[in-house]
Amino acid sequence: MLKVKKYYQIQTKSKCRKENMVEGECYRISVLTSGLVRLEYSEQGIFEDSPTQSIWNRDLGLCEYQVVDSENQLEIITDRIHLYYDKQRFSRNGLFIHVKGSAVPFGNVWHYGDTEYSFGEGNFKGTARTLDGANGEVPLEDGLNAITGYAVLDDSKSLLIREDGWVETRKNPEEDLYFWGYGMDYLTCIQDFYRLCGATPMVPRYAFGNWWSRYHKYTEKSYRGLMERFKRENIPFSVAVIDMDWHLVEVDARYGSGWTGYTWNRELFPDPDAFLKWLHEQGLHVTLNVHPAEGVRAYEEGYKEMARAMQMDDDSIDKELPIPFDIADEKFVEAYFTCLHHPQEKAGVDFWWIDWQQGSLSKVEGLDPLWMLNHYHFLDNGRDGKRPMTFSRYAGPGSHRYPVGFSGDTIISWKSLDFQPYFTATASNIGYGMWSHDIGGHISGSRNDELSGRWVQFGVFSPIMRLHSSDNQFNSKEPWHYRPEIRMVMEKFLRFRHRMIPYLYTMNYRQYAEGIPMVLPMYYWYPKEQEAYKVPNQYAFGSEMMVAAVTSPCIKTLYMAKTTVWIPQGEWYDIFTGLRYHGGRKMNLYRDITSIPVLAKTGAIIPFQDDYMENANENPKQLHLYVYTGADGSFTLYEDDNITNAYQEGICVRTSYEWHEEEGCLYISSAKGEKSLIPENREYAVTFCGIREAKATCKVSSAGGRIETEIKKEDDVTVLLKNVPLDQDIVLELRERVYRDNDIVNRCYQILDRAEIEYDQKERAFNMIKAEQDKTCLLGKLLVLELESDLYHALAEIIIA
């Protein structure tokens, strides 16, 4: 047996505590948490304690439960569930579980073998392997949350992971089920899933910048020229994705196709090492596309080294026999990385785009090649202590451990865009929180500049922002290929993405440390609100923002798109328009092409950085805080070295911000942790959303010192602070605060000005808006004018916001 690399060995706690087990001759029930039980049945009475492809940790701590045991009946009772079992082979009549606290008063009893849910839509769904060829909605696999409050994960066919890190089939077949009964406690369910299956690792900071990707036969010269053009246009990117034409694709027919390749095409890239070095000097990190299915052919530069590693004889090598792809062979996997990937990584490839499209079968029953590629690529990428990352399709529960996810080649259409917000958020129900989509769509479809602009806006408020397109000469995503107004929008939002990196990176840590995915369906925040289940394209984006993607075209007479948004109780600001909303209702929000609804609740604090940083992997010297006034709030900024696994040892820096509404004070704490990771001083700009006038004083904790302030007044007050020492506590006080109201007249004027209706009708409507102070009366008067319905509702949004 080949000795497997030490870095393939994973840290697990796969054996459940004895105290949490209830066992019989042929069954074993492990109470992992109050809502999670493992159900095993084996005719041989042999049960499995090894980690599997999905399950790594079964010791989740001591769990309180009650057992009622009689000769023919076993009951297990926790705070969340009540299990009944007849101690026989699992059957529908003999094994059932009642779930407490589900969203429905009935239908919350699971019977073994249930495949249909007895109430409504049942399971909230999880995700899918790929969106390849999708033109809109595709079927999704089940997730772990449901309207009934329960779900089942069947791990019976999952392979085992040996102590040395390699996989093997189960020697003793058993039924191996995990029952999840968390009722409406959706977040705790997913957090316990992470505890059971492993946390989502942090990805490097640069991953949250913009990725440039296109299936196109670039040359070194043309690729350099494109990156230089982006820099001149002040359009930031952090990841250079180079699709398959980096390698030889036009090969002699006797070798087969050129779909798989590991040898640079030196006609296009004469000096790959210099090219990769240049990309790094531009602050870009590099991933290369690889389709590994066709193995290694004799024309590859690494063929002979790979052949010898596979112990092929000289005759076979001289005959140029191909080396078949065999991910189930330990020897092949070892040579695959050592001979084909490590040399490229030494030259400057940061991670690999694993483009596996050949299904889930291998020569070992139950062994999915995609899972193997994801698992071992991720471990191998981190072999030298750097923070690993892969870029590949979803391969089943547990795939969250191998970020980032590649969702595949979608059709360019409004239907595809409309499905992706729901698809991204719903994946959280199986813990998969790091999807990367082909923003703008990949193939087919037709040109639609508005669609491209809206897709970019959604991409910016996605876990990963990656532009992509096919090799069609008319299909590319450079902003300057679009109409001027769309170009402006795309550039604005691409810059905005990089400004958001401090916030996104903090959410990256939150996902790892607290088990909270970056994108969540609204019912996670508001499980008891029926409206939360009816807005599939609305989602929480981190801790501070709520996004409603615009996925339909503008109304032609208004040049605005309509999006139905449920606004929860409280007061909310749109971070782009500045409009303030009263919550507790569902509204149609209207937006022109320059923005989408992104709401922050009063008390939210969101950290941004400079518009443009040369290297997205550096911690910023300047921060811009947006404080949404009207309620107390806090936010803790997380920073680390951005590239290694030291975060797992707690080597990081945290800076806390607290807004006290009544005092009018923003408290900036001294940085806590390894301060060498951040600058000694920072410049701050602090925008107090909702305050139009104020006077500011900034005090330093040491010796009563002060920091000079400068106030900029636009719609909201912004206070500028220079040379703020990060090892000191700071208090920024706003005095004589004047809060602003929504500017109803001016906002309504802008809507009417664009509307394509009769001028006299515009005039009458606008005069009413200027004259009438009573909002209810105003709405009635406008209704009498018989305005086009969407125009009336667009005005009503402003008036009653």
Side-chain angles (χ1 to χ4, degrees):
M1 183 183 295
L2 183 71
K3 185 177 180 181
V4 181
K5 295 291 186 183
K6 187 174 182 179
Y7 49 80
Y8 290 169
Q9 298 173 14
I10 58 173
Q11 299 298 312
T12 70
K13 296 171 67 177
S14 62
K15 189 169 184 178
C16 180
R17 301 176 177 224
K18 195 72 175 175
E19 306 96 304
N20 287 4
M21 294 180 185
V22 180
E23 298 182 69
E25 183 177 348
C26 295
Y27 68 86
R28 182 170 71 171
I29 299 176
S30 304
V31 185
L32 303 179
T33 74
S34 62
L36 173 59
V37 292
R38 185 188 189 193
L39 307 169
E40 296 172 274
Y41 186 87
S42 167
E43 289 289 350
Q44 294 77 30
I46 301 174
F47 305 105
E48 189 56 66
D49 290 324
S50 297
T52 71
Q53 290 173 293
S54 297
I55 311 300
W56 285 11
N57 305 303
R58 300 187 187 96
D59 182 359
L60 305 183
L62 195 61
C63 185
E64 292 187 9
Y65 61 98
Q66 180 184 353
V67 175
V68 180
D69 194 354
S70 61
E71 183 178 355
N72 298 315
Q73 181 76 24
L74 174 68
E75 297 179 43
I76 297 177
I77 305 165
T78 75
D79 291 342
R80 296 185 186 272
I81 65 170
H82 191 148
L83 178 149
Y84 302 83
Y85 175 45
D86 65 2
K87 301 184 181 182
Q88 303 299 310
R89 176 182 288 277
F90 292 165
S91 67
R92 181 171 173 77
N93 293 326
L95 174 61
F96 55 96
I97 303 176
H98 173 261
V99 179
K100 308 169 186 178
S102 73
V104 291
F106 52 88
N108 53 353
V109 177
W110 171 79
H111 292 259
Y112 171 81
D114 277 353
T115 56
E116 297 294 330
Y117 294 89
S118 57
F119 183 86
E121 297 180 358
N123 193 280
F124 295 149
K125 297 301 178 183
T127 194
R129 187 180 181 97
T130 181
L131 295 181
D132 283 333
N135 186 17
E137 186 175 354
V138 303
L140 302 182
E141 299 171 14
D142 280 353
L144 300 179
N145 286 309
I147 197 73
T148 52
Y150 63 75
V152 176
L153 191 159
D154 188 346
D155 200 44
S156 304
K157 296 181 180 179
S158 187
L159 273 64
L160 308 178
I161 301 178
R162 302 188 317 224
E163 287 186 9
D164 67 356
W166 193 248
V167 294
E168 64 181 5
T169 56
R170 294 178 183 243
K171 296 180 177 62
N172 301 291
E174 64 166 334
E175 196 153 10
D176 192 0
L177 308 177
Y178 290 80
F179 177 86
W180 307 77
Y182 284 81
M184 290 189 288
D185 197 351
Y186 308 130
L187 181 57
T188 300
C189 176
I190 295 306
Q191 289 172 323
D192 283 348
F193 170 76
Y194 289 134
R195 294 172 64 207
L196 180 74
C197 300
T200 301
M202 290 186 70
V203 296
R205 191 177 194 269
Y206 67 76
F208 294 102
N210 298 312
W211 297 27
W212 176 257
S213 177
R214 187 187 180 194
Y215 176 38
H216 181 70
K217 190 172 286 188
Y218 287 107
T219 65
E220 178 177 343
K221 182 178 179 181
S222 67
Y223 205 95
R224 283 190 184 217
L226 178 61
M227 296 301 109
E228 288 169 342
R229 172 78 185 272
F230 282 135
K231 186 167 286 191
R232 289 196 304 273
E233 301 283 351
N234 194 25
I235 303 173
F237 285 90
S238 60
V239 176
V241 182
I242 306 176
D243 213 321
M244 61 179 289
D245 284 292
W246 70 271
H247 65 71
L248 296 172
V249 295
E250 297 175 1
V251 301
D252 193 302
R254 64 195 171 102
Y255 296 119
S257 80
W259 199 248
T260 296
Y262 301 95
T263 302
W264 281 90
N265 184 338
R266 284 178 170 74
E267 290 185 6
L268 303 180
F269 300 93
D271 190 345
D273 290 11
F275 175 58
L276 295 172
K277 183 174 183 290
W278 182 85
L279 289 172
H280 284 162
E281 289 170 350
Q282 310 312 303
L284 294 162
H285 292 76
V286 183
T287 183
L288 301 183
N289 175 279
V290 59
H291 297 90
E294 294 184 1
V296 185
R297 278 74 58 80
Y299 67 83
E300 300 281 9
E301 291 176 354
Y303 171 75
K304 287 188 176 179
E305 182 186 0
M306 180 86 177
R308 292 191 180 98
M310 294 299 294
Q311 298 177 345
M312 289 172 58
D313 57 40
D314 290 342
D315 185 54
S316 297
I317 295 173
D318 292 341
K319 290 178 180 177
E320 298 188 335
L321 296 183
I323 304 169
F325 176 81
D326 186 1
I327 198 66
D329 181 353
E330 298 172 49
K331 185 165 56 177
F332 176 85
V333 171
E334 167 69 14
Y336 169 79
F337 288 119
T338 301
C339 304
L340 303 177
H341 293 81
H342 293 177
Q344 304 288 8
E345 293 176 24
K346 184 177 180 182
V349 176
D350 294 289
F351 62 102
W352 294 89
W353 175 7
I354 308 159
D355 208 345
W356 179 264
Q357 298 168 292
Q358 283 70 35
S360 58
L361 298 178
S362 69
K363 71 180 186 182
V364 176
E365 185 178 357
L367 183 61
D368 183 348
L370 179 59
W371 184 91
M372 291 289 286
L373 286 164
N374 293 351
H375 180 75
Y376 289 107
H377 259 283
F378 186 84
L379 295 177
D380 187 79
N381 192 243
R383 67 190 179 280
D384 295 328
K386 78 171 184 179
R387 193 178 303 179
M389 187 161 71
T390 57
F391 181 37
S392 184
R393 290 172 175 83
Y394 174 80
S399 291
H400 65 278
R401 297 186 301 255
Y402 319 115
V404 166
F406 166 51
S407 66
D409 304 335
T410 50
I411 305 295
I412 299 170
S413 70
W414 284 103
K415 287 194 295 184
S416 290
L417 171 59
D418 187 52
F419 182 61
Q420 286 188 3
Y422 164 77
F423 178 80
T424 307
T426 301
S428 295
N429 288 323
I430 196 65
Y432 201 66
M434 202 68 77
W435 271 123
S436 168
H437 303 300
D438 288 359
I439 295 301
H442 181 59
I443 52 176
S444 302
S446 57
R447 175 163 180 154
N448 187 313
D449 284 19
E450 182 187 355
L451 171 62
S452 297
R454 291 302 192 191
W455 220 321
V456 167
Q457 290 170 330
F458 163 65
V460 165
F461 289 94
S462 302
I464 300 293
M465 168 60 196
R466 178 180 53 88
L467 296 172
H468 190 58
S469 54
S470 70
D471 196 31
N472 187 305
Q473 63 184 315
F474 297 105
N475 179 16
S476 191
K477 300 302 191 302
E478 294 93 337
W480 51 82
H481 286 316
Y482 296 87
R483 298 196 313 263
E485 69 273 22
I486 303 300
R487 173 182 178 174
M488 178 191 70
V489 166
M490 293 174 77
E491 291 179 353
K492 168 189 169 182
F493 273 81
L494 289 169
R495 294 180 189 121
F496 189 86
R497 175 72 184 195
H498 273 238
R499 291 188 62 216
M500 267 202 300
I501 290 178
Y503 175 74
L504 298 172
Y505 195 68
T506 298
M507 296 303 108
N508 181 30
Y509 174 74
R510 176 176 174 253
Q511 181 167 264
Y512 159 74
E514 299 179 35
I516 306 176
M518 185 179 297
V519 173
L520 287 173
M522 291 302 297
Y523 49 78
Y524 273 67
W525 277 6
Y526 303 97
K528 295 183 179 180
E529 298 282 352
Q530 288 301 308
E531 294 297 341
Y533 299 84
K534 300 176 182 178
V535 280
N537 281 2
Q538 182 179 331
Y539 54 90
F541 190 60
S543 61
E544 307 298 291
M545 290 188 244
M546 182 175 71
V547 177
V550 175
T551 61
S552 60
C554 283
I555 300 161
K556 291 183 178 179
T557 56
L558 293 183
Y559 296 95
M560 304 177 85
K562 176 173 67 176
T563 303
T564 301
V565 179
W566 173 61
I567 306 175
Q569 289 288 347
E571 301 288 311
W572 300 78
Y573 290 90
D574 186 303
I575 72 168
F576 289 118
T577 68
L579 199 62
R580 184 165 171 166
Y581 293 89
H582 301 291
R585 53 188 169 155
K586 206 169 189 176
M587 296 180 68
N588 289 326
L589 304 189
Y590 293 80
R591 295 294 181 271
D592 64 22
I593 193 62
T594 63
S595 75
I596 65 174
V598 179
L599 306 186
K601 200 170 186 179
T602 53
I605 301 174
I606 307 176
F608 291 83
Q609 65 185 31
D610 284 346
D611 284 356
Y612 192 92
M613 286 184 64
E614 288 290 325
N615 190 341
N617 225 37
E618 293 179 355
N619 293 320
K621 295 179 181 178
Q622 297 174 312
L623 283 177
H624 193 149
L625 303 180
Y626 284 80
V627 179
Y628 292 88
T629 64
D632 293 348
S634 63
F635 186 88
T636 299
L637 177 70
Y638 173 90
E639 297 171 286
D640 58 27
D641 67 11
N642 304 315
I643 199 68
T644 76
N645 287 322
Y647 73 91
Q648 296 174 348
E649 309 299 324
I651 301 175
C652 62
V653 186
R654 293 179 177 86
T655 306
S656 296
Y657 309 100
E658 291 186 12
W659 169 248
H660 292 205
E661 177 70 26
E662 187 173 344
E663 299 174 25
C665 289
L666 177 69
Y667 293 86
I668 304 176
S669 74
S670 59
K672 304 294 192 299
E674 184 51 66
K675 297 184 181 66
S676 64
L677 297 171
I678 59 175
E680 290 185 14
N681 299 283
R682 267 194 174 126
E683 293 186 7
Y684 277 100
V686 185
T687 296
F688 294 91
C689 302
I691 297 177
R692 61 182 176 87
E693 290 185 20
K695 294 180 180 179
T697 303
C698 189
K699 299 177 182 178
V700 183
S701 59
S702 62
R706 289 177 178 265
I707 294 175
E708 186 176 342
T709 62
E710 177 184 345
I711 290 184
K712 293 172 62 178
K713 295 180 182 178
E714 295 180 357
D715 291 336
D716 296 303
V717 164
T718 297
V719 181
L720 305 179
L721 307 173
K722 293 186 177 181
N723 297 318
V724 176
L726 299 187
D727 61 350
Q728 299 290 321
D729 293 328
I730 307 296
V731 181
L732 174 57
E733 181 183 8
L734 292 190
R735 309 182 316 280
E736 301 177 26
R737 302 184 301 282
V738 179
Y739 289 80
R740 64 169 171 81
D741 295 322
N742 290 336
D743 188 349
I744 294 175
V745 172
N746 185 52
R747 291 176 186 274
C748 287
Y749 175 85
Q750 293 172 19
I751 293 172
L752 287 166
D753 188 41
R754 280 193 303 265
E756 294 184 348
I757 61 171
E758 294 179 0
Y759 287 115
D760 289 345
Q761 198 175 30
K762 289 189 184 190
E763 191 79 23
R764 287 193 294 272
F766 189 57
N767 287 337
M768 288 179 181
I769 291 167
K770 289 191 295 182
E772 181 59 69
Q773 299 299 310
D774 186 295
K775 293 180 180 180
T776 303
C777 290
L778 175 56
L779 290 175
K781 290 179 178 179
L782 291 174
L783 193 62
V784 172
L785 288 181
E786 297 185 347
L787 300 171
E788 189 270 332
S789 176
D790 279 311
L791 173 58
Y792 174 81
H793 286 101
L795 295 171
E797 175 196 341
I798 304 301
I799 294 166
I800 65 172

